[in-house]
Amino acid sequence: MDIPDAERIKQREIAFQDIHPNPHQALTAARFLADLDGILSLDPVSPILLRIRYDVLITTLQEIEEALSELGLHLDSRLFHKLMRALHYYTEETLRANCRGLSGELNDTEKLFAKRYELIEHGCRDARPEHWRRYL
């Protein structure tokens, strides 16, 4: 089952802080992100606002913003931007998990939790020895 482009292609705005040694953070970010896989378009709207379009199955907003933070750029940390960022991170991760779920593959973390669940004691276990369970 393919995901329509409307759900897969995301357009977001990345806001940067006003006070920074680099007054044109959006332009710097656009130059840095231009060659990355999954980035479809970049538009520095203002010195501190970058409009970006990307394919969420290839890269996520969280990965993009972490790379920009490692580059030394400062993302806007006001409450509104933090909430929107968290919402976008969650929805994109959910979309990617649903796509992965369609293929039936489990990632390493899911395998780890499944194995742990098999090993712990819980109420779904039959305490009788194996030969007694086969006898009945």
Side-chain angles (χ1 to χ4, degrees), residues 32-44:
F32 174 72
L33 296 172
D35 297 330
L36 291 181
D37 194 28
I39 305 293
L40 303 176
S41 69
L42 296 161
D43 181 26

Side-chain angles (χ1 to χ4, degrees), residues 9 12 15 40 63 74 110:
I9 306 300
R12 308 278 191 227
L40 303 176
E63 293 169 351
H74 296 171
E110 291 169 334

Side-chain angles (χ1 to χ4, degrees), residues 2-134:
D2 291 329
I3 295 177
D5 286 347
E7 290 183 33
R8 199 183 70 205
I9 306 300
K10 300 296 181 185
Q11 180 171 340
R12 308 278 191 227
E13 291 182 348
I14 300 175
F16 298 95
Q17 289 183 351
D18 294 335
I19 301 172
H20 190 270
N22 179 358
H24 301 285
Q25 294 184 79
L27 185 60
T28 304
R31 289 179 180 158
F32 174 72
L33 296 172
D35 297 330
L36 291 181
D37 194 28
I39 305 293
L40 303 176
S41 69
L42 296 161
D43 181 26
V45 178
S46 73
I48 59 168
L49 185 66
L50 176 67
R51 191 167 292 140
I52 183 171
R53 285 185 61 235
Y54 58 94
D55 187 343
V56 76
L57 296 180
I58 299 173
T59 188
T60 63
L61 183 64
Q62 185 172 7
E63 293 169 351
I64 293 168
E65 288 183 342
E66 286 174 358
L68 293 176
S69 294
E70 288 179 15
L71 186 64
L73 302 176
H74 296 171
L75 301 174
D76 196 338
S77 60
R78 289 181 283 186
L79 181 61
F80 173 75
H81 292 287
K82 285 183 177 180
L83 288 172
M84 290 305 293
R85 202 174 291 135
L87 178 66
H88 293 318
Y89 291 175
Y90 173 75
T91 56
E92 290 176 3
E93 187 59 36
T94 302
L95 178 67
R96 291 178 92 177
N98 288 341
C99 292
R100 186 180 60 244
L102 293 175
S103 66
E105 297 176 11
L106 292 177
N107 65 19
D108 292 335
T109 306
E110 291 169 334
K111 289 178 186 175
L112 178 71
F113 281 110
K115 185 66 174 172
R116 174 74 177 127
Y117 182 78
E118 290 175 2
L119 296 175
I120 62 173
E121 292 292 327
H122 51 79
C124 297
R125 302 274 181 183
D126 190 354
R128 296 177 295 171
E130 181 68 30
H131 63 278
W132 283 7
R133 280 185 265 153
R134 284 184 298 186

